[in-house]
Amino acid sequence: MVKGRYVRVGPFLLLYNAKAAICVTLNFFMNINSSKIPLSETGRFSPLFNNYLKEDKVLEHLFNHAPRIENIPIYFDDDRFQCVNRQLLASIIKQQYEDTINCTVPGNVAELESANAYTVCTGHQLCIFTGPLYFIYKIVSTIKLAKCLKDRYPNKKFVPIYWMASEDHDFDEVATVNMFDKTISWEKEGKSGAVGRLSTVSLKPVLEQVKEIVGESVNGIELLSLFKSAYENNSNLANATRCLVNALFGEHGLLVIDGDNKLLKREFIPFLKSDLLTNNNVADVEDTNKYLINNNLKPQVHPREINTFYLNENVRERIEFNSESTKFVVKNTTISFTETEIINELDAHPERFSPNVVLRPMYQQCILPNVAYVGGPGEIAYWLQFKKMFESNKLVYPMLVPRSFVTLLGTSELKKMSKYGITTNSLFASKDALLTTYLAKSLPSLASEKEIVQKGFSSIIKVVEKVDASLRAAAEGELKKAFNAIEKLESKMIKAEKKKNEVAVAQINRLMQNLLPNNSLQERHENFIPYYLKYGSEFLRQLIELIDPFEFEMLMLELTNESN
């Protein structure tokens, strides 16, 4: 039996053995209570996203079908899915799994070859150790959506897909992970080019840091084994991410695809040529952007005349047309092409051309028989900008399904919330508002005094008006000054009360930092590792069980402890 003292780490209680310098998590059953809050009441989402959830008529021509399960059959008879090269898709995914160490080819790859099969897809960057929690929620939402569709339409097949954003070149966005109040960073030289092609050799020091954190519990050993299997055995970040995601979610039928592939991009050549030579996509998206702006809504992305990057060894840079030289130039390089040369390059090496955020959705829909895209608020916002572009390019525009949103409340958080009168509904108020509400319970109210002042000045105003009606404005000004003075006194009273209740204030501040780090949603900061350490793979299974992909609310999960 491990002896030591219990220490507080994030939302969990760990047993710390100073001599062995390890933390051993207690084993707990998952005992979950849940409640839901409308997303609009959290104050964390844009008007554009909130309007989409409400199916606002202002947006109705920017999407085909509202995210409701009864609308899915509309896609079954869309002839454009016949253009999808299903055999190629299945063979490429199979090959990518075979090229990934410790990654068995899933049995449901073959389903993609059937004309009766459809995909539901989500996409995300290749964040180390899965990055923030919302990556997990996107995957879980996609898996559950496919399951719900299978149950509702048993004569069809639905395959959940995770599209790896392996061609992104923003290394800093994938290179950090937060857990237990600590940020772990991947330090690497040579960060340019597509992140999916980056070598994982320099991840070894990061793995050592993670090893120290996860400790020697059963779940910790299991988790470390998954990480080592992915990052030590696979030479690049794309294969490592596929290996890890498959280990976590493969049992639920999820398939992982990497679009950084020559044969898949060959299917997309006509669209890349059109983007390079006609610049037709920018006009379609800008028309939508103008419409949004005219309706006081902010566009998420702004297209360029050319929305294609040139991708080669350690290079992923924008392609621009230089009117003076009449050449296509690759920014920040000496590479340039005439029109004939760039088309020849595209035909011979389509793998060297990479779609940006505007073209990537079209690329996905070109190679997948995809009926629904599962995305976060930002993704839904920019997909809404693309419907006209999809129509011009004669591609299926999928149903846009917002991913699930979850806030996890541990036992310690729940106790503090109860102690300080914070409900799940009030949780998303500002920290100052919560502190003021709590402190107001022990503060004497000045409401009756304000009422007395108001009545007194009402009488004064009547008197001065009899003398000179123009004096009313002066009297009302003095009333305003009086109320300002009272409000200043109230602020000083609150400040004094905070000082008297330093422990309570500190605990509320700490609570809010745990649940809304830096006033942002928990899911955008915390990683899944602390929860996996405590509950193992059951944590992921319970998430899949509990979420409803067609209920667009904040799911509040109260994880109370029952020790094993």
Side-chain angles (χ1 to χ4, degrees):
M1 180 178 179
V2 179
K3 295 182 179 180
R5 60 187 177 86
Y6 295 110
V7 296
R8 164 92 170 136
V9 185
F12 302 116
L13 190 66
L14 302 187
L15 185 60
Y16 179 72
N17 182 295
K19 185 176 180 180
I22 60 172
C23 284
V24 182
T25 56
L26 300 176
N27 290 320
F28 289 105
F29 295 116
M30 290 199 76
N31 183 28
I32 302 174
N33 294 318
S34 65
S35 58
K36 296 172 183 177
I37 299 172
L39 293 178
S40 58
E41 293 184 11
T42 68
R44 263 60 181 189
F45 301 100
S46 70
L48 180 56
F49 182 65
N50 286 330
N51 287 352
Y52 179 69
L53 296 180
K54 294 187 297 185
E55 299 180 25
D56 193 308
K57 289 189 176 182
V58 170
L59 301 178
E60 63 182 3
H61 72 285
L62 301 185
F63 59 91
N64 282 334
H65 312 292
R68 296 196 295 270
I69 196 168
E70 62 269 20
N71 288 338
I72 285 290
I74 299 170
Y75 289 94
F76 297 160
D77 298 322
D78 197 316
D79 293 338
R80 288 172 293 181
F81 281 131
Q82 296 176 10
C83 298
V84 174
N85 192 336
R86 293 171 175 273
Q87 286 69 36
L88 175 67
L89 174 63
S91 67
I92 295 299
I93 293 179
K94 181 179 179 182
Q95 183 62 53
Q96 290 180 345
Y97 272 83
E98 289 174 343
D99 291 343
T100 304
I101 306 297
N102 296 331
C103 203
T104 304
V105 177
N108 62 331
V109 173
E111 289 186 1
L112 293 173
E113 297 185 26
S114 169
N116 213 26
Y118 301 91
T119 62
V120 293
C121 174
T122 194
H124 197 73
Q125 293 167 302
L126 311 187
C127 299
I128 58 173
F129 307 100
T130 77
L133 270 167
Y134 72 87
F135 168 76
I136 297 294
Y137 300 154
K138 289 172 82 170
I139 298 288
V140 166
S141 300
T142 305
I143 291 169
K144 186 61 174 288
L145 176 57
K147 182 179 184 304
C148 289
L149 294 178
K150 287 177 186 177
D151 292 343
R152 182 70 173 265
Y153 307 107
N155 294 328
K156 306 292 182 182
K157 298 175 182 178
F158 298 92
V159 181
I161 298 281
Y162 162 45
W163 177 286
M164 292 195 292
S166 60
E167 295 179 30
D168 280 0
H169 57 269
D170 194 334
F171 175 79
D172 293 337
E173 289 190 4
V174 306
T176 60
V177 60
N178 299 302
M179 64 185 89
F180 296 132
D181 297 329
K182 186 174 182 179
T183 298
I184 297 175
S185 298
W186 180 13
E187 302 295 336
K188 177 177 173 57
E189 295 181 2
K191 306 173 185 177
S192 58
V195 295
R197 300 181 182 186
L198 293 176
S199 169
T200 54
V201 172
S202 58
L203 266 171
K204 188 173 182 179
V206 184
L207 272 169
E208 289 301 314
Q209 293 182 63
V210 172
K211 180 180 178 180
E212 292 179 8
I213 290 174
V214 301
E216 298 183 3
S217 68
V218 173
N219 292 337
I221 292 171
E222 176 190 341
L223 203 51
L224 188 64
S225 175
L226 297 182
F227 293 149
K228 286 190 171 186
S229 178
Y231 295 116
E232 289 187 345
N233 295 322
N234 289 284
S235 60
N236 63 50
L237 187 59
N239 282 352
T241 302
R242 179 185 294 103
C243 181
L244 177 58
V245 171
N246 184 65
L248 294 173
F249 295 105
E251 67 176 285
H252 302 289
L254 181 76
L255 296 183
V256 181
I257 186 171
D258 184 358
D260 187 4
N261 179 274
K262 181 175 183 176
L263 294 179
L264 291 179
K265 285 188 176 176
R266 190 167 294 285
E267 299 291 301
F268 198 54
I269 284 178
F271 303 95
L272 291 169
K273 283 184 180 179
S274 177
D275 185 66
L276 289 167
L277 302 182
T278 69
N279 308 144
N280 60 320
N281 297 312
V282 64
D284 287 339
V285 180
E286 284 294 358
D287 281 350
T288 301
N289 286 0
K290 289 175 185 176
Y291 174 79
L292 290 171
I293 292 169
N294 289 338
N295 284 277
N296 299 313
L297 296 169
K298 184 179 179 181
Q300 186 75 11
V301 299
H302 294 277
R304 299 181 181 276
E305 288 190 357
I306 295 176
N307 295 283
T308 305
F309 287 84
Y310 189 73
L311 178 64
N312 213 335
E313 190 70 25
N314 298 322
V315 171
R316 187 177 185 258
E317 295 286 350
R318 287 192 292 111
I319 299 172
E320 290 186 350
F321 182 73
N322 186 309
S323 58
E324 293 183 5
S325 65
T326 66
K327 285 189 174 184
F328 293 86
V329 298
V330 180
K331 295 287 289 183
N332 302 315
T333 74
T334 59
I335 302 170
S336 65
F337 303 92
T338 65
E339 181 176 316
T340 300
E341 287 171 341
I342 201 167
I343 295 305
N344 289 340
E345 179 81 350
L346 176 59
D347 287 334
H349 299 287
E351 74 278 9
R352 296 179 183 173
F353 293 80
S354 175
N356 74 352
V357 67
V358 174
L359 285 193
R360 188 174 63 243
M362 289 212 305
Y363 181 32
Q364 292 171 194
Q365 290 301 117
C366 173
I367 66 174
L368 295 175
N370 199 52
V371 295
Y373 184 79
V374 178
E379 290 172 295
I380 297 296
Y382 68 66
W383 273 83
L384 288 171
Q385 297 173 243
F386 299 156
K387 180 171 177 279
K388 186 176 181 181
M389 178 180 68
F390 268 74
E391 291 172 344
S392 296
N393 286 278
K394 296 180 172 55
L395 285 170
V396 176
Y397 185 79
M399 179 182 290
L400 305 181
V401 181
R403 66 168 174 84
S404 295
F405 299 84
V406 184
T407 297
L408 302 168
L409 307 171
T411 302
S412 177
E413 280 76 22
L414 291 167
K415 286 181 178 178
K416 285 187 175 66
M417 287 170 66
S418 176
K419 180 178 180 180
Y420 298 116
I422 300 172
T423 65
T424 53
N425 285 330
S426 65
L427 185 63
F428 294 97
S430 70
K431 182 171 64 176
D432 287 341
L434 290 175
L435 286 170
T436 299
T437 300
Y438 170 72
L439 296 172
K441 296 176 182 178
S442 56
L443 278 173
S445 173
L446 296 180
S448 59
E449 284 73 12
K450 285 182 179 179
E451 188 175 342
I452 293 170
V453 171
Q454 178 71 56
K455 289 180 179 178
F457 266 91
S458 294
S459 299
I460 292 171
I461 289 171
K462 288 178 182 179
V463 171
V464 298
E465 276 188 314
K466 289 179 180 179
V467 176
D468 186 342
S470 66
L471 293 176
R472 179 184 179 89
E476 288 176 342
E478 294 301 320
L479 172 61
K480 187 175 181 180
K481 288 180 184 178
F483 271 107
N484 287 339
I486 294 172
E487 287 172 2
K488 287 181 181 178
L489 287 172
E490 286 178 323
S491 295
K492 290 180 178 180
M493 289 168 63
I494 291 172
K495 187 175 181 180
E497 196 67 15
K498 282 182 179 180
K499 193 170 183 179
K500 286 166 54 180
N501 292 271
E502 288 181 351
V503 173
V505 170
Q507 288 191 347
I508 291 174
N509 283 333
R510 179 62 179 170
L511 171 68
M512 297 307 294
Q513 182 60 25
N514 282 346
L515 296 180
L516 294 168
N518 303 319
N519 202 32
S520 179
L521 291 176
Q522 177 193 67
E523 61 177 31
R524 305 199 71 83
H525 184 269
E526 299 296 328
N527 180 266
F528 85 107
I529 288 175
Y531 303 94
Y532 198 99
L533 285 177
K534 193 168 189 180
Y535 300 114
S537 58
E538 184 62 20
F539 170 66
L540 302 178
R541 283 192 284 270
Q542 284 294 322
L543 281 177
I544 294 172
E545 180 67 27
L546 288 167
I547 69 162
D548 183 333
F550 290 103
E551 281 191 358
F552 309 121
E553 297 180 292
M554 178 65 72
L555 182 62
M556 310 294 291
L557 294 184
E558 300 177 5
L559 310 178
T560 56
N561 300 340
E562 291 187 7
S563 58
N564 188 350

